[in-house]
Amino acid sequence: MTWIDWVVALGFLGYSIYDVLRKARGNRTLEGYFAGRRSIPWWAAGLSVMATQISAITVLGTTGQGHDTGMEFVQIYLAHPFAMVILAIVFVPLYRAAPILTAYEFLERRLGRGTRALCSGVFLLSRGLALGVAIAAPAVILAVITGLSVNWTILAVGVLTICYTVFGGVISVIWMDVKQMSVLFLGLALVFGILLVDLLPTFGTGGLLAVLGAAGKLNALELEPASTLFTPRTAGAGGAPSFWEDRYNFWSCMLGGLFLNLAYFGTDHSQVQRILTNHSADESRKALMVSAFVKVPMQVVVLAIGVLMYVFFVVKGAPLLFDPGDQIAARDPAVATRVAALQERYDAASAARRALAERVAAPEQTPAEREAAARQFRAAVAEVDRVRAEARTVVNGGRPKSDTNYIYTWFILHHLPPVLLGLVIAAVFAAALSSSDSVLNSLAGAFVVDFYRPFLAPHADEAHVMRASRVITVLGGLFATGSAMVLVDEGSLIEVINLIGSFVYGSMLGVFLLAAFCPWVGERAAFLGVLGGLATVGVVHLTLRVEFLWYNVLGCLGVFATALPLALLRRR
């Protein structure tokens, strides 16, 4: 990075912090600190709903996902608009019927204090871990830029996030989300445009699509179900995946994705908090509709950037190892010879891949010639992928490790001109701040409203509870920073955060549906129902090969299968 890039990126960061501190004045009550005095307009709340979910994880993890696996990940968002409509019709009127500060207060009114405390505790644990992933994403970029250890950059980003959030409230958070989303949109548009300007003169539109199709990157809709129903987790690997093991297809994403979106946007307080800040239920519905109609097109663009980066690397070349830590480990004398041999194989396979890509894109050929070129191109693609995977395993002591999260960073640092690079770095940090501050504020709100005030300080005045809110914000940020250091190397960040949520979201959705439609089940049956849903997911995870999207369905069914029989027995 040049000095001007640093000026652009740090200038935006400094302005963000200044604006939060300026808007934080006057937040002296819980209603103001956690609900924005119910004064946020619908369009700002809608952008904040998106900003809370669209973090640096989206920029780094989703673009890397597009590079590695193509457009198939977009299927996970197909159910998003349907979920938003259902929530607007069913959940918004329930939440806005009486003033509440957290989603879990609604549970207490229907299913008792024990159910509220359990579900709020599950939220605090799962979102605390997920916030760690959100902190890890910008730390990855900072580590690449500065050459520091990723643990040190995680600590720096975590401390900044805590300081940024502790003095603000949800009002300052939401209005900064609006600004940060604007910068994020600009940064994505710049990278997308630069890739197209570079690739279209080389291949043309038809040739570019032909190369992407031959590489298997245009797989945005997969309808064919797997041949087998399920495979026990103890069975050996190999063969085609079962129906439940096929991670991203139309069926798993429409059903599992619908439950995931309903649970995330309807029961996770980091999202519900946004629709509690509006003046009325109608305003809350409009906020959800902003996300319903903007989210999917934006995710298509983000994945398309990753897909275009793949072709860009086919033409321009890319390193054998994207992760700077892996590059350093490759110079170790114990593995240097093996890495050098792999580098030779990689260079040869990359050269063959580029030559075959040009053949695939050539317009003057028969269908048979194009198919033959595509078949050879796919073989070269497979060889490149094999060599890269083997190199990552070698430099990590035999442990397979993904470098998905470093691909976008390597591209922008090596191929964007000055000033534009600074803007894109600012966009990544904008995404990081807009999600981290929102989640950290909601974590503090849930702990204070659901635990501290009712159980630990029931008679404390407002000033005392506000001081406690800021202390709890600091503690929550430290927990998230610690979890970031553990989770940063667990693969694609966007998949890690969805996996964490999927372990609990189905159970959360199940108990909220009980509260909405079956409040007669009672507190004890509902409490045990949540435990039953969590246990169902745990047993399935340990015994069967089932991908995480299905956990959202199974957890919800587990709640009903446990709670309803218990409630009926009690009534008898």
Side-chain angles (χ1 to χ4, degrees):
M1 285 180 65
T2 64
W3 66 269
I4 196 168
D5 294 315
W6 282 107
V7 168
V8 172
L10 294 178
F12 174 79
L13 191 60
Y15 165 71
S16 299
I17 296 172
Y18 162 76
D19 196 67
V20 165
L21 296 177
R22 180 174 63 87
K23 285 192 169 73
R25 298 168 186 168
N27 279 328
R28 297 186 178 90
T29 66
L30 291 183
E31 185 78 10
Y33 196 69
F34 293 126
R37 298 186 292 274
R38 320 285 179 179
S39 63
I40 304 298
W42 62 268
W43 57 270
L47 287 175
S48 185
V49 166
M50 291 183 59
T52 306
Q53 187 188 29
I54 300 169
S55 65
I57 300 168
T58 302
V59 180
L60 301 187
T62 307
T63 52
Q65 193 77 19
H67 173 278
D68 287 349
T69 62
M71 295 295 294
E72 69 171 4
F73 190 71
V74 78
Q75 295 173 109
I76 200 173
Y77 301 106
L78 295 179
H80 179 76
F82 301 99
M84 296 299 99
V85 172
I86 294 171
L87 292 174
I89 295 172
V90 177
F91 276 51
V92 167
L94 294 172
Y95 289 151
R96 300 310 302 264
I100 56 175
L101 288 177
T102 74
Y104 312 108
E105 286 185 88
F106 166 74
L107 284 182
E108 180 176 356
R109 294 175 181 178
R110 297 289 182 105
L111 298 173
R113 177 172 285 192
T115 306
R116 170 189 178 181
L118 175 61
C119 292
S120 185
V122 169
F123 161 74
L124 289 169
L125 177 60
S126 62
R127 288 306 289 173
L129 292 172
L131 178 57
V133 182
I135 290 173
V140 166
I141 286 187
L142 195 58
V144 174
I145 294 173
T146 62
L148 296 172
S149 163
V150 72
N151 282 339
W152 281 109
T153 59
I154 285 174
L155 183 62
V157 173
V159 171
L160 174 62
T161 301
I162 293 169
C163 296
Y164 178 83
T165 308
V166 72
F167 295 107
V170 74
I171 291 179
S172 57
V173 164
I174 287 177
W175 284 113
M176 270 316 300
D177 285 349
V178 173
K179 297 180 180 68
Q180 289 161 348
M181 285 299 292
S182 302
V183 176
L184 176 60
F185 287 146
L186 175 62
L188 293 173
L190 286 172
V191 174
F192 187 74
I194 288 170
L195 286 166
L196 285 179
V197 167
D198 190 279
L199 292 173
L200 287 178
T202 303
F203 292 111
T205 303
L208 180 60
L209 292 174
V211 172
L212 290 172
K217 304 298 181 182
L218 299 181
N219 48 346
L221 196 63
E222 298 180 0
L223 294 172
E224 185 176 348
S227 56
T228 58
L229 186 61
F230 69 88
T231 304
R233 188 166 290 275
T234 54
S242 71
F243 178 80
W244 305 103
E245 289 179 280
D246 192 1
R247 177 167 294 183
Y248 303 119
N249 60 55
F250 178 81
W251 313 105
S252 65
C253 291
M254 279 303 292
L255 188 55
L258 178 64
F259 277 66
L260 173 62
N261 279 278
L262 285 173
Y264 178 52
F265 290 96
T267 73
D268 189 298
H269 183 57
S270 67
Q271 296 298 316
V272 175
Q273 184 186 37
R274 299 300 172 269
I275 63 174
L276 296 178
T277 61
N278 304 125
H279 178 67
S280 66
D282 285 341
E283 294 271 297
S284 298
R285 291 190 186 98
K286 291 177 183 177
L288 290 176
M289 290 303 101
V290 171
S291 178
F293 293 107
V294 178
K295 171 73 173 172
V296 177
M298 195 192 113
Q299 291 294 346
V300 170
V301 171
V302 175
L303 278 168
I305 288 173
V307 167
L308 292 175
M309 279 196 309
Y310 178 84
V311 182
F312 182 90
F313 291 146
V314 168
V315 177
K316 305 288 186 180
L320 173 63
L321 300 165
F322 284 102
D323 185 341
D326 289 350
Q327 294 171 4
I328 294 171
R331 295 195 287 268
D332 188 328
V335 298
T337 302
R338 293 181 63 189
V339 172
L342 289 169
Q343 183 69 56
E344 290 183 7
R345 283 178 56 194
Y346 177 74
D347 292 339
S350 296
R353 184 178 64 170
R354 175 176 179 174
L356 290 165
E358 293 172 351
R359 282 182 54 192
V360 170
E364 302 87 6
Q365 54 185 326
T366 66
E369 291 172 334
R370 187 184 297 275
E371 177 56 34
R375 188 165 54 251
Q376 294 173 323
F377 175 66
R378 284 191 289 271
V381 166
E383 173 64 8
V384 169
D385 292 342
R386 276 195 299 270
V387 175
R388 289 193 63 242
E390 187 175 344
R392 293 196 303 272
T393 302
V394 167
V395 300
N396 285 284
R399 182 175 69 92
K401 180 183 172 185
S402 169
D403 61 359
T404 300
N405 304 314
Y406 294 89
I407 296 171
Y408 182 81
T409 306
W410 193 91
F411 170 78
I412 63 175
L413 289 177
H414 290 83
H415 293 287
L416 290 190
V419 180
L420 290 184
L421 174 59
L423 285 172
V424 172
I425 294 292
V428 174
F429 276 92
L433 293 173
S434 64
S435 61
S436 300
D437 59 11
S438 303
V439 174
L440 191 50
N441 181 267
S442 67
L443 288 170
F447 187 85
V448 168
V449 175
D450 294 327
F451 292 98
Y452 186 80
R453 191 169 63 175
F455 296 112
L456 301 178
H459 305 297
D461 59 22
E462 200 80 5
H464 171 90
V465 179
M466 282 297 298
R467 289 193 298 271
S469 298
R470 291 190 165 95
V471 171
I472 290 163
T473 301
V474 173
L475 296 177
L478 292 175
F479 172 79
T481 302
S483 66
M485 295 180 181
V486 175
L487 297 171
V488 66
D489 288 328
E490 292 301 314
S492 170
L493 291 175
I494 189 68
E495 290 195 315
V496 171
I497 202 166
N498 281 326
L499 175 61
I500 291 172
S502 293
F503 275 104
V504 302
Y505 278 151
S507 302
M508 298 286 276
L509 178 60
V511 74
F512 272 82
L513 291 175
L514 284 179
F517 300 109
C518 308
W520 51 266
V521 298
E523 178 177 355
R524 182 177 298 179
F527 187 95
L528 294 174
V530 176
L531 297 180
L534 294 172
T536 300
V537 173
V539 169
V540 168
H541 176 74
L542 293 173
T543 59
L544 297 174
R545 290 178 181 167
V546 175
E547 281 299 339
F548 66 83
L549 279 177
W550 293 111
Y551 292 175
N552 299 281
V553 182
L554 296 171
C556 185
L557 295 177
V559 171
F560 278 87
T562 304
L564 292 182
L566 289 173
L568 292 173
L569 286 173
R570 180 180 61 84
R571 293 185 70 172
R572 286 186 179 180

